[in-house]
Amino acid sequence: MKKTYNWAVLGCGKIARKFSNDLKLLPNAKLYAAASRDLSKAQSFASELGFEKAYGSYEEMVNDPKVDAVYVATPHSHHRDHAILCLNHKKPVLNEKAFALNLREAKEIVKAARDNNTFLMEAFWTQFQPSFIKAMEIINSRELGALKTVRSDFAFNGPFDPKNRLYNLELGGGSLLDIGIYPVFAALRPLGKPDRIKAMADFASTGSEESIAMIFKYDSGQMATLASSFAAFSSVQTEYWLENGYIRLNRHWNTPTTLSVFNKEKDKEEVLDYTDKVGFGYQYEAAHVMECLDAGKKESDILPLSFSLDLMETLDRIRDEVGAFFPGRD
Ligand SMILES: NC(=O)c1ccc[n+]([C@@H]2O[C@H](COP(=O)([O-])OP(=O)(O)OC[C@H]3O[C@@H](n4cnc5c(N)ncnc54)[C@H](OP(=O)(O)O)[C@@H]3O)[C@@H](O)[C@H]2O)c1
C-alpha cells in the first residue's frame, strides 16, 4: 500500500494557502502541520484548511517526528535559513521559488541536503504543468523543426508598498526573483544557460528592481527575449518560435493553461486545452515529491538541483548586469 505523507507548511502566507488547498486533491497527502511565527495565525490557518496540528514556531514543527515533508513558503530572503533548518532535522523539503537570494545561498541549501542525505526540490510548479510538459514534448520531437527563439513575459501592476516583500529589499524584493524567474525558466528549460546576457532595469524608490528586460544569446544562434514588471500588466504568455511553426502557452502561461500550436504546413493555429478543472496546479509538484520519496530519491530527475543552481546562477548574472543587489547578502 502507498505511504501517506504528513505534510507541513512552513509559513502561513498566501502561497501556502493555495498549495494546501491543492494538497487536498492527493489521496497520499495529509495536511498535518501548519507552522507560523505566530501560534494564533497557525491555529486559524490550520482550522481553515484542515491541518491536524498548529505550531507557533518553525523550530517546534521540524522537531515533530511525524512530519514527513515540508513546504517552505516564506519570502525568498528566508529560504536558505528555513530550508536548512528543515534539512538539518532530516525533513524532506519542497522549497519555494526563488530557491534562494543568490547562487551562494542556493549552494548552501544544496550542501545541507547532501550532508543530511535528505530530499530537496525547488517548488517550480510550472515544470509539472501538463501544458508546459506538452510544449516541451513538441519542441523535443522536432515536428516543428528546431527551436530558435523564446519570448516570455510576466507582469502585473501591484500597488506600491515599500514594506511588502515585492518591493522590500530585505525580503528579496524585485520583479526578477518573484515573477521574472518564470520567463528565465521558460528559456533555460529548453535552451540551457545562455552564453551572453544583456539586460536593463528600472528601479522603485526602495532600490528594488521594478521592471526588467532581458535578452539571452546562445552561440548556437538561439535567442530569448524576456521581461517582467510590477508596473504594468502584460499578457503573461510564452512563445516558442521554431523553424516551421510556433507554440504559445497562453495566459497565465506558468499555470495549467491552453496551448496554441501553429504548424506552417497546416497554416492554422490549433488550441490544446490543459486548464485544470479542480485545482490551481500545485498538486502536480507535490505528487512528484511523494513519488520521489516513495522511490527513496534524494532529488528529482525531472527538476534536479543542478537545474536550480543553473537558474540561480543565471538570475545572479542578470542582476549583475543591471546592478540589482541585496545589500549585505550579495
Ligand atoms: N509558486 C507560486 O505560484 C508562487 C506564488 C506566489 C509566491 N511564491 C513564492 O512563495 C514565497 C512566499 O510568497 P507569499 O506571496 O506567500 O508571501 P507572503 O504571503 O508575503 O508571506 C509568506 C509567509 O512567510 C512567513 N515569513 C517568515 N519570515 C518572514 C518575514 N521576515 N517577513 C514576512 N514574512 C515572513 C510568514 O508566515 P508566518 O507569519 O506564518 O510565519 C508569511 O505569511 C516567495 O518566495 C514567492 O516567490 C510562489
Side-chain angles (χ1 to χ4, degrees):
M1 207 177 70
K2 244 181 156 185
K3 177 179 159 88
T4 297
Y5 289 87
N6 282 336
W7 280 84
V9 296
L10 190 156
C12 298
K14 287 194 276 301
I15 195 62
R17 176 172 278 102
K18 284 176 134 182
F19 178 84
S20 303
N21 269 311
D22 275 0
L23 266 188
K24 294 180 191 168
L25 301 170
L26 303 172
N28 57 336
K30 181 169 177 195
L31 280 70
Y32 176 69
S36 170
R37 296 161 301 168
D38 171 345
L39 180 59
S40 62
K41 186 175 170 188
Q43 285 167 334
S44 66
F45 189 91
S47 75
E48 173 198 332
L49 288 146
F51 282 88
E52 189 175 312
K53 295 226 158 197
Y55 285 111
S57 80
Y58 304 150
E59 289 73 15
E60 278 176 86
M61 180 275 288
V62 294
N63 279 299
D64 180 339
K66 287 190 173 163
V67 169
D68 295 318
V70 182
Y71 173 57
V72 172
T74 50
H76 12 284
S77 49
H78 290 64
H79 290 172
R80 175 194 50 186
D81 291 353
H82 294 154
I84 291 177
L85 173 72
C86 299
L87 293 164
N88 283 346
H89 286 80
K90 311 253 185 240
K91 299 298 186 196
V93 169
L94 176 63
N95 189 33
E96 252 309 334
K97 44 62 58 186
F99 193 70
L101 267 198
N102 53 37
L103 181 62
R104 183 176 44 75
E105 295 188 2
K107 284 181 174 170
E108 289 177 40
I109 305 175
V110 170
K111 182 174 183 308
R114 300 218 162 115
D115 288 351
N116 287 290
N117 197 27
T118 298
F119 180 86
L120 169 66
M121 188 181 92
E122 183 172 7
F124 220 112
W125 64 315
T126 305
Q127 175 62 54
F128 302 96
Q129 305 307 337
S131 37
F132 183 77
I133 292 168
K134 182 66 181 174
M136 293 302 112
E137 270 172 23
I138 299 172
I139 291 169
N140 292 333
S141 75
R142 293 180 75 92
E143 65 194 75
L144 296 176
L147 174 63
K148 303 304 272 186
T149 294
V150 181
R151 197 216 58 76
S152 181
D153 66 81
F154 199 141
F156 61 85
N157 187 356
F160 174 71
D161 173 357
K163 294 205 178 79
N164 188 280
R165 70 170 186 83
L166 301 185
Y167 286 97
N168 182 344
L169 281 178
E170 286 184 4
L171 296 178
S175 82
L176 180 64
L177 265 56
D178 195 59
I179 48 177
I181 191 169
Y182 286 105
V184 174
F185 170 90
L188 250 62
R189 275 280 78 176
L191 297 177
K193 288 190 284 184
D195 295 300
R196 268 162 294 158
I197 295 175
K198 293 279 183 204
M200 295 182 89
D202 195 43
F203 291 81
S205 55
T206 54
S208 69
E209 160 273 308
E210 186 176 59
S211 301
I212 187 160
M214 303 159 263
I215 300 177
F216 291 180
K217 176 80 170 67
Y218 295 80
D219 290 344
S220 53
Q222 292 155 310
M223 296 187 69
T225 58
L226 317 168
S228 64
S229 176
F230 291 147
F233 287 91
S234 77
S235 59
V236 193
Q237 294 185 339
T238 288
E239 290 170 9
Y240 292 108
W241 301 354
L242 299 106
E243 287 168 309
N244 300 318
Y246 61 77
I247 304 164
R248 191 176 61 249
L249 283 156
N250 295 310
R251 181 182 178 84
H252 292 87
W253 75 265
N254 59 315
T255 72
T257 188
T258 60
L259 202 65
S260 300
V261 182
F262 175 83
N263 184 332
K264 180 181 88 172
E265 301 299 321
K266 297 182 190 158
D267 196 24
K268 69 168 191 204
E269 222 180 65
E270 190 188 350
V271 179
L272 310 175
D273 190 348
Y274 289 96
T275 47
D276 202 306
K277 310 294 184 279
V278 285
F280 297 110
Y282 298 101
Q283 68 273 29
Y284 303 113
E285 60 178 0
H288 180 66
V289 169
M290 293 188 288
E291 275 164 26
C292 290
L293 295 176
D294 281 342
K297 292 183 180 171
K298 304 303 171 198
E299 67 178 289
S300 161
D301 299 329
I302 295 174
L303 194 63
L305 295 170
S306 58
F307 176 79
S308 295
L309 294 175
D310 284 353
L311 178 55
M312 213 66 238
E313 181 190 323
T314 306
L315 295 168
D316 278 9
R317 284 169 67 193
I318 296 165
R319 289 194 302 111
D320 270 351
E321 172 81 8
V322 300
F325 301 113
F326 297 111
R329 298 285 285 273
D330 280 328

